[in-house]
Amino acid sequence: MAVRTRFAPSPTGFLHIGGARTALFSWAYARRHGGKFILRIEDTDIARSTPEAVQAIIDGMRWLGLEHDEGPFYQTQRMERYKNVIQQMLAAGTAYYCYTSKEELDALRAIQESRKEKPRYDGRWRPESGKILPAPPPGVPPVVRFKNPTAGTVGWDDQVKGRIEFANSELDDLIIARADGTPTYNFCVVVDDWDMGITHVLRGDDHVNNTPRQINILQALGATVPQYAHLSMILGDDGTKLSKRHGAVSVMQYDEDGYLPEAVINYLARLGWSHGDDEIFSRQQFVEWFDLDHITPSAAQFNTEKLLWINQHYMKQASPAGLAEKIGPRLAARGVDTTKGPELAAAIALYQDRCNTLNLLTDAVEVFYVPIHPNPELLAQHLNDDAKPALSEFAARIPEIDWNIPAISALIKEVVHRHALKMPKLAMPLRVLLVGQTQTPSVDAVIHLIGRDMTAQKLAPYC
Ligand code: GLU
């Protein structure tokens, strides 16, 4: 049977890290088995769902490269279908009308609580053979309840957590349609999973308690019950449940913070799944390796340091031209014009090993495209009386040499030698004057990148 998985977010906020991991695992499972990955937007909570959140989810998935094969399907566009299935169930006797008023339910709850019992519907409108139901009260619109089995257990072999069982006596008769006729959450999920032929449901383990109800309804419909894999929650760096308090909640925030999507994918893959000790692997490799057996049932802990380390790996590995496509717009957004300066990819090549985010790389290369105003303290410290004559000689001889790194390096060495100085005595003022910083890659490479004319121009006021 062809694998069909789905990602079914409720569009009430951004695509956050937990949702992105669920999407990644569902996507990878479908890809691994040559199946289909379906995107379904669970937007029946009209009050909390927004089009902006739908867009944010779609943008986040696109950024991560988790393309879906079918959908997006919107639950709000499937209302007729849910209503039809409810009618079918009423006709088949697997669902029934319930006229219990809110006051009656409150009274029932009060009695149950006083007896220290779990509040639950008592089945007063549930049809049973031989039972005589009261006459429906006039003018009261009923809800529809699912006729849950009363005996035995409902269970499944969770692909992550192992066997899970619930006694049917624990589950009361779920409302599947409200008095205004709108279907309820668990019911829509069931009809969708059924209609969309979902074979494997991967989702957060906050849904474990919904699963027995969903299985009972699927069985009442004669539908095939999918396999379930409930993913454990993700904890923040501090060991508490990952939440808005942990800052970067939206996947797109990682883009803004300068992470590469391939690094985030690699990092998410390891949040609760492992392949031996492998930490760095490509998306392709992940798809080849991904299975449900190696998803850990325990909670995974987010680790920003590790994400940075993985990001650094992908930054080092990236082609300078590829990085330039990402850094160019970031510089432009800062109002920096890169047309009058060295080729951006060449500047990036010099710095990409030293920066673990795109933002730090943007900061690093910006110095080649903006006027440098060296900090007076740094100037006083490095452009001292020993250094000045050497700097002047270096500047004066710039026009004589071939413009390549070995020639620049040879000139620096020759000048420091003639002035009986140590290398930093000339290298440091050069760094401060040319890029405004004391920490740079090899100074000959920096000078080469800046170019002959621009280097001469920048040094001239100090010689
Ligand atoms: N819409 C649910 C959520 O966002 C997911 C439901 C499911 O995967 O079955 O948590």
Side-chain angles (χ1 to χ4, degrees):
M1 184 175 40
V3 165
R4 292 174 64 84
T5 64
R6 86 302 197 275
F7 177 50
S10 303
T12 55
F14 301 113
L15 178 62
H16 52 78
I17 283 293
R21 184 194 52 173
T22 302
L24 171 64
F25 284 13
S26 303
W27 171 87
Y29 196 72
R31 290 288 170 273
R32 165 85 173 82
H33 295 281
K36 297 279 187 247
F37 174 56
I38 293 149
L39 176 59
R40 176 165 93 216
I41 304 293
E42 301 203 326
D43 56 350
T44 51
D45 184 348
I46 310 273
R48 293 177 63 226
S49 301
T50 65
E52 292 76 23
V54 172
Q55 197 52 49
I57 290 164
I58 290 174
D59 290 348
M61 290 179 70
R62 184 172 304 137
W63 183 68
L64 289 169
L66 303 180
E67 70 285 4
H68 52 272
D69 305 303
E70 293 175 23
F73 297 110
Y74 293 81
Q75 288 187 328
T76 46
Q77 291 171 11
R78 290 179 38 79
M79 287 297 156
E80 281 314 305
R81 171 66 182 151
Y82 305 136
K83 288 179 184 171
N84 284 339
V85 177
I86 286 168
Q87 288 309 318
Q88 277 173 31
M89 291 177 74
L90 284 165
T94 52
Y96 61 91
Y97 288 118
C98 167
Y99 296 86
T100 316
S101 67
K102 184 174 176 307
E103 292 70 28
E104 287 170 316
L105 285 174
D106 289 346
L108 178 63
R109 176 169 312 123
I111 294 170
Q112 288 168 335
E113 281 174 358
S114 72
R115 291 194 203 131
K116 307 248 177 291
E117 289 169 11
K118 203 165 127 192
R120 64 204 311 282
Y121 175 64
D122 61 1
R124 63 183 69 174
W125 288 94
R126 179 181 166 113
E128 303 283 7
S129 61
K131 177 174 167 187
I132 302 190
L133 293 175
V140 177
V143 301
V144 178
R145 287 189 186 266
F146 170 60
K147 198 172 173 198
N148 199 79
T150 47
T153 57
V154 50
W156 70 97
D157 291 317
D158 196 276
Q159 301 296 299
V160 176
K161 295 179 182 285
R163 183 80 192 160
I164 299 182
E165 282 192 359
F166 287 77
N168 274 320
S169 58
E170 289 293 308
L171 309 170
D172 59 4
D173 288 350
L174 186 74
I175 296 177
I176 56 175
R178 298 180 191 88
D180 66 3
T182 56
T184 57
Y185 170 75
N186 273 296
F187 182 72
C188 298
V189 171
V190 163
V191 177
D192 288 350
D193 284 342
W194 180 32
D195 285 355
M196 295 169 197
I198 301 304
T199 59
H200 294 77
V201 171
L202 282 73
R203 63 183 172 200
D205 68 0
D206 46 333
H207 290 282
V208 164
N209 287 330
N210 291 328
T211 307
R213 297 182 177 285
Q214 294 180 5
I215 290 176
N216 276 338
I217 301 174
L218 283 163
Q219 281 172 338
L221 289 168
T224 308
V225 177
Q227 298 280 327
Y228 292 93
H230 286 94
L231 309 175
S232 298
M233 69 168 104
I234 302 174
L235 304 176
D237 276 303
D238 58 0
T240 64
K241 190 173 185 308
L242 195 65
S243 71
K244 293 205 173 70
R245 281 185 300 106
H246 293 96
V249 284
S250 156
V251 163
M252 296 315 285
Q253 185 68 40
Y254 289 90
D255 179 26
E256 230 163 85
D257 291 349
Y259 291 91
L260 294 168
E262 50 272 39
V264 175
I265 286 283
N266 188 156
Y267 180 73
L268 287 176
R270 286 284 292 107
L271 265 184
W273 174 86
S274 58
H275 182 269
D277 292 332
D278 292 304
E279 292 290 0
I280 301 278
F281 41 82
S282 67
R283 178 189 299 266
Q284 185 55 36
Q285 186 66 78
F286 176 55
V287 166
E288 278 170 34
W289 283 340
F290 184 64
D291 59 7
L292 304 179
D293 298 345
H294 291 88
I295 299 178
T296 48
S298 54
Q301 187 156 351
F302 199 84
N303 181 336
T304 306
E305 285 304 311
K306 189 167 157 192
L307 173 58
L308 278 168
W309 173 75
I310 293 180
N311 202 52
Q312 175 141 41
H313 167 86
Y314 285 94
M315 299 263 307
K316 280 186 185 168
Q317 219 189 33
S319 73
L323 288 173
E325 281 171 26
K326 296 175 194 275
I327 301 289
R330 285 169 196 259
L331 286 169
R334 296 180 182 190
V336 174
D337 175 7
T338 51
T339 56
K340 292 182 196 67
E343 192 209 338
L344 184 54
I348 286 170
L350 207 48
Y351 279 84
Q352 70 186 91
D353 282 3
R354 308 164 70 94
C355 301
N356 58 12
T357 69
L358 292 172
N359 291 6
L360 291 176
L361 184 54
T362 308
D363 294 344
V365 299
E366 185 178 350
V367 296
F368 296 105
Y369 308 100
V370 294
I372 299 297
H373 305 289
N375 166 317
E377 263 174 52
L378 281 182
L379 265 188
Q381 189 187 341
H382 295 290
L383 190 61
N384 49 33
D385 291 344
D386 289 349
K388 272 183 190 161
L391 184 79
S392 297
E393 182 178 340
F394 177 79
R397 294 183 57 190
I398 283 176
E400 295 170 11
I401 60 169
D402 286 343
W403 201 251
N404 56 51
I405 294 175
I408 296 167
S409 171
L411 177 59
I412 294 173
K413 285 192 187 122
E414 193 191 325
V415 171
V416 293
H417 184 71
R418 273 172 40 76
H419 291 259
L421 298 173
K422 291 225 159 58
M423 177 67 110
K425 280 283 182 194
L426 178 56
M428 292 309 261
L430 281 170
R431 290 187 162 108
V432 171
L433 295 176
L434 294 172
V435 297
Q437 294 163 354
T438 53
Q439 306 246 331
T440 71
S442 169
V443 72
D444 43 15
V446 169
I447 293 170
H448 178 250
L449 179 72
I450 291 174
R452 190 195 300 267
D453 293 349
M454 187 61 87
T455 302
Q457 203 177 313
K458 288 189 178 195
L459 297 182
Y462 303 92
C463 294

